[in-house]
Amino acid sequence: MKRISILKKTAVGLIAAALVSLVALGNTSYARPYDPNDPGYDHPVFNTYTGTPYNGDEPDFFRGKVAGDTADSVDPLNTACQDGKEFTLRVYVHNNANTIYNNDGNGPGVAHNTKVVVSLPSAQNSSFKMNSTISASNAASASDGMTINCTDGNQYQLSYVPGSAQQWTKPTGTQALSDSIVTTGAKIGTYSPNGDVWGCWDQRVFVTLNVKVTRKVVPPPSSGICKLLSMSVVNKDEREVNAAVTGSVDNAEIIGYKIDFGDGTVVQQQSANHKYSGDGTFNLTGYVNVKLADGSTQWKSAPACESQITFKHGVPPKVPPQAPPSLPNTGPGNVIAAFFGVTSISSVLYYAVSRRLAKLF
């Protein structure tokens, strides 16, 4: 008898260890074909049956569809997206425990502290892979993923629609769920979202929430430059000059100008006259104040916005020549055509001059 008792204890220990291992492996370890005569479990287990007449394969419990569509939810969901388009995600929850273990909500078949969490991707994309997990304090967690593919190929941002999470059960109908469903998880329940999910088909919980895609248009680069400082002598005897600044911006705004006349005088004007008090060489610098698309501002200068003037008694004011404007980018074809055009004209002129010289000599 003692030997039999030891064997029984050993067998019970092995079975318990096996059950613990199954729980550790997760929901898929319990998956088994649906059978209407299956008595179910004596403890909470989520979504184990395959081939059910109600939901197909229960481990595939996370699906979606375009919001407002009356068709069944699917995974993956392939659809053309557009800015602001909404989708309804559905999480199916079935506690496979037998109803006899509910005991009016106090039995060992009721799942407690049951939560659903939906993890959404944060990156901009045209394909969104999401995951949902069903968990409870006295049952193994079950996880499943689904994908929304935007077939138009544009890039979007996916986000949760606040206030859209809800559950539906046969006993109580529709009830609102917490927005924490997309962060730490929202409690669900058969009779209220209190975390208690009873076992049996009639106690299933259907969770839905809406997400939307937002088109992210990349703005053009924001930049600005000081393009040119032009300078002229107004009165050489009084050493008076005029300086003017021009700038150029892309997706930005010029909000100010500044001219440094090189003798300690600085004016915040686009164009100004200035008289120097004595002879000397003075370096002038122009600036533009650029407000970028992000709201930041920058003072910009450049070599083209620098100039110099020299005043010396009895000598005309000396101003260095400004750099010539950049030649247009005509491409190699136009350059070659221009070369041959000039060459042809030169050849004709050379031929005509040669003939006239020949007649003279």
Side-chain angles (χ1 to χ4, degrees):
M1 292 293 293
K2 189 173 183 180
R3 178 181 177 84
I4 293 173
S5 177
I6 293 172
L7 289 173
K8 285 176 68 178
K9 288 182 179 179
T10 303
V12 170
L14 289 172
I15 292 171
L19 288 173
V20 170
S21 298
L22 287 172
V23 171
L25 288 172
N27 186 61
T28 55
S29 300
Y30 288 95
R32 60 188 184 186
Y34 168 75
D35 181 347
N37 298 315
D38 191 324
Y41 297 84
D42 61 358
H43 60 282
V45 181
F46 294 119
N47 297 12
T48 65
Y49 293 112
T50 59
T52 71
Y54 310 97
N55 192 62
D57 293 343
E58 289 188 337
D60 179 20
F61 61 81
F62 188 29
R63 303 177 189 176
K65 62 182 179 180
V66 175
D69 193 347
T70 57
D72 291 338
S73 299
V74 296
D75 177 37
L77 173 58
N78 301 314
T79 180
C81 296
Q82 61 190 41
D83 191 36
K85 189 171 186 177
E86 292 193 15
F87 304 91
T88 298
L89 308 182
R90 188 222 63 184
V91 180
Y92 166 94
V93 183
H94 178 207
N95 178 357
N96 299 155
N98 193 299
T99 185
I100 65 173
Y101 297 106
N102 288 330
N103 191 23
D104 200 25
N106 299 310
V110 178
H112 299 299
N113 299 308
T114 309
K115 285 185 176 183
V116 168
V117 62
V118 173
S119 301
L120 302 177
S122 58
Q124 182 175 309
N125 213 325
S126 59
S127 180
F128 304 99
K129 297 182 184 296
M130 296 158 282
N131 188 75
S132 179
T133 299
I134 308 164
S135 64
S137 58
N138 59 336
S141 298
S143 294
D144 187 33
M146 76 152 292
T147 304
I148 295 177
N149 294 314
C150 293
T151 56
D152 54 301
N154 291 320
Q155 297 284 304
Y156 296 91
Q157 198 82 35
L158 185 73
S159 61
Y160 167 67
V161 178
S164 65
Q166 59 185 20
Q167 68 167 39
W168 181 92
T169 66
K170 186 175 181 180
T172 60
T174 301
Q175 293 176 295
L177 296 178
S178 169
D179 286 340
S180 60
I181 192 168
V182 291
T183 53
T184 57
K187 281 189 175 183
I188 64 169
T190 298
Y191 291 92
S192 69
N194 63 355
D196 291 342
V197 176
W198 295 24
C200 188
W201 292 107
D202 288 341
Q203 319 303 331
R204 290 171 297 163
V205 183
F206 293 85
V207 176
T208 61
L209 64 153
N210 278 17
V211 295
K212 69 177 180 179
V213 290
T214 306
R215 179 76 184 277
K216 292 294 182 181
V217 179
V218 179
S222 183
S223 63
I225 60 170
C226 187
K227 198 170 183 180
L228 181 67
L229 172 68
S230 58
M231 185 181 61
S232 61
V233 177
V234 177
N235 188 322
K236 63 182 179 60
D237 296 326
E238 296 184 4
R239 305 181 194 88
E240 183 179 2
V241 298
N242 173 268
V245 187
T246 58
S248 176
V249 293
D250 289 312
N251 189 30
E253 178 187 2
I254 296 177
I255 58 173
Y257 298 88
K258 184 166 61 177
I259 302 171
D260 184 342
F261 284 95
D263 63 347
T265 302
V266 179
V267 297
Q268 294 202 14
Q269 296 173 228
Q270 184 178 8
S271 176
N273 284 12
H274 177 64
K275 293 181 180 181
Y276 290 96
S277 60
D279 290 346
T281 298
F282 305 97
N283 296 311
L284 290 78
T285 307
Y287 301 86
V288 292
N289 194 6
V290 178
K291 184 177 181 180
L292 302 176
D294 62 2
S296 63
T297 60
Q298 299 176 358
W299 282 103
K300 296 278 190 177
S301 188
C305 287
E306 297 173 354
S307 189
Q308 187 182 82
I309 188 162
T310 300
F311 288 104
K312 186 176 181 180
H313 183 68
V315 179
K318 183 179 180 182
V319 180
Q322 293 182 334
S326 300
L327 292 173
N329 182 12
T330 57
N334 289 338
V335 171
I336 292 172
F339 171 79
F340 280 109
V342 171
T343 303
S344 299
I345 293 170
S346 301
S347 299
V348 171
L349 291 174
Y350 175 77
Y351 178 74
V353 171
S354 298
R355 292 198 59 180
R356 292 191 65 182
L357 290 173
K359 290 181 179 179
L360 292 175
F361 294 94

